[in-house]
Amino acid sequence: MLRFHYRYVLPYRSLIELGNSQAVLSVFKKGENEYVSSVWEVLCRNHISTYGTDGIMFQMASRWWGCYYDEERQLHLPAELDVVAESFDGRHLFLGECKWQEHIDAQEELYRLQNIAKGLAFAKDHEIHYGLFLKEPSTHHDVVRIWYPEDVMV
């Protein structure tokens, strides 16, 4: 709620006080998807840290960005992962992506996560658990664990 306040209320307080809420609504609509996506990522990280998956509890999840080694291309490539968490016993690693958009192919996303995981030094010696957090049902939804808004916002 504070994020919304500081992004949309405080900067446009004068317009709101003058009764020009349509102008503020217009600004919000232009950035709505980006704003909701960023909030969705926070909710997803909190969900994994609170409930875990596959019977495993994970430490506080975070976002990760850096480079991984792509064996096929034999070079280091940049990557960003939306949800990364290590289990409390240090044996498991959760890697996930949050997508607040339509028409996501779960199989493609899983392949991308698996490819990145193979090239992450910190993922070695961990059992990797993958997951997707999606706005709506996906094609190939049976290949990976998927959470939807009704699962995350419990």
Side-chain angles (χ1 to χ4, degrees), residues 24-57:
V24 179
L25 184 59
S26 174
V27 170
F28 172 74
K29 287 292 184 189
K30 287 179 185 170
E32 179 180 12
N33 201 46
E34 179 186 333
Y35 172 75
V36 172
S37 293
S38 69
V39 173
W40 176 238
E41 287 182 17
V42 171
L43 292 170
C44 297
R45 285 192 285 274
N46 289 343
H47 184 82
I48 270 303
S49 299
T50 303
Y51 299 102
T53 187
D54 301 327
I56 299 157
M57 294 305 296

Side-chain angles (χ1 to χ4, degrees), residues 6-101:
Y6 284 107
R7 185 161 179 185
Y8 295 108
V9 177
L10 196 60
Y12 303 103
R13 184 174 168 191
S14 297
L15 288 173
I16 294 168
E17 288 173 350
L18 290 171
N20 194 351
S21 58
Q22 281 307 116
V24 179
L25 184 59
S26 174
V27 170
F28 172 74
K29 287 292 184 189
K30 287 179 185 170
E32 179 180 12
N33 201 46
E34 179 186 333
Y35 172 75
V36 172
S37 293
S38 69
V39 173
W40 176 238
E41 287 182 17
V42 171
L43 292 170
C44 297
R45 285 192 285 274
N46 289 343
H47 184 82
I48 270 303
S49 299
T50 303
Y51 299 102
T53 187
D54 301 327
I56 299 157
M57 294 305 296
F58 292 89
Q59 298 177 48
M60 239 3 241
S62 63
R63 171 187 287 153
W64 175 89
W65 56 92
C67 288
Y68 72 99
Y69 186 71
D70 187 316
E71 289 184 20
E72 289 177 17
R73 299 180 196 170
Q74 296 189 350
L75 49 91
H76 287 87
L77 297 173
E80 178 184 344
L81 298 172
D82 296 330
V83 185
V84 177
E86 186 177 41
S87 64
F88 284 100
D89 65 9
R91 294 179 15 220
H92 303 269
L93 192 65
F94 179 84
L95 302 178
E97 282 296 301
C98 309
K99 301 292 183 191
W100 193 259
Q101 59 199 53

